Amino acid sequence: MKPIGYWLNRTDQALTDSMDSLLSESGLTRLGWQVLNVVEDTPQATDTDVLTFLAANAGPADLTAAIRTGLDDGWLTRPEAGRLALTADGRTRLAAVAEHVAAFRALSTTGISPEEYRIAVSVLERMTHNLEHR
């Protein structure tokens, strides 16, 4: 049996590759989609909010580039200096993408019960806590 780190890396790469492929027709990447979701879920979002929430997913340079792409591609706007918000078009487009992401999630968890998924996430969360807070 391969160690957990091997499977964590393979799973993350498979998720990224598959999501990037799925989202490419919408002009997004997995990271770009994550940025849009942080902005959608955080009223009065700032660049710092995005960098903080997604620090485990990418470094500041990649996150800043994803924010810039969201702005350049019309997904995001700056209602005031330092703030981010979805544009009306961005909100509509993100809702359409959500349908594809839901199908992707169903595919990625084929053969995995909700209980197994919950246990897997719980174990990974505890392992992370053990290592980050020792």
Side-chain angles (χ1 to χ4, degrees):
M1 177 189 301
K2 301 241 189 244
I4 194 164
Y6 172 85
W7 288 113
L8 287 171
N9 289 329
R10 287 269 316 264
T11 302
D12 185 58
Q13 192 61 56
L15 286 168
T16 298
D17 292 348
S18 295
M19 282 199 76
D20 283 354
S21 178
L22 168 81
L23 296 171
S24 67
E25 66 188 49
S26 301
L28 288 173
T29 62
R30 180 183 182 200
L31 187 59
W33 174 78
Q34 291 167 331
V35 166
L36 296 177
N37 279 280
V38 169
V39 173
E40 180 181 45
D41 295 342
T42 309
Q44 302 293 314
T46 65
D47 294 55
T48 301
D49 291 330
V50 172
L51 272 68
T52 300
F53 284 120
L54 297 176
N57 301 53
D62 288 335
L63 289 166
T64 300
I67 291 168
R68 170 59 40 214
T69 298
L71 290 163
D72 291 346
D73 291 350
W75 293 88
L76 297 172
T77 188
R78 289 202 182 274
E80 60 185 71
R83 299 272 181 212
L84 294 163
L86 288 172
T87 63
D89 184 52
R91 193 171 297 286
T92 299
R93 291 164 48 197
L94 188 58
V97 168
E99 294 176 24
H100 296 292
V101 172
F104 169 80
R105 285 182 175 150
L107 173 65
S108 69
T109 57
T110 299
I112 300 168
S113 73
E115 179 66 9
E116 288 172 314
Y117 183 86
R118 188 194 64 71
I119 289 169
V121 171
S122 176
V123 167
L124 294 173
E125 182 179 16
R126 283 182 281 152
M127 286 179 73
T128 301
H129 180 78
N130 290 345
L131 296 170
E132 289 181 349
H133 299 99
R134 57 182 215 163

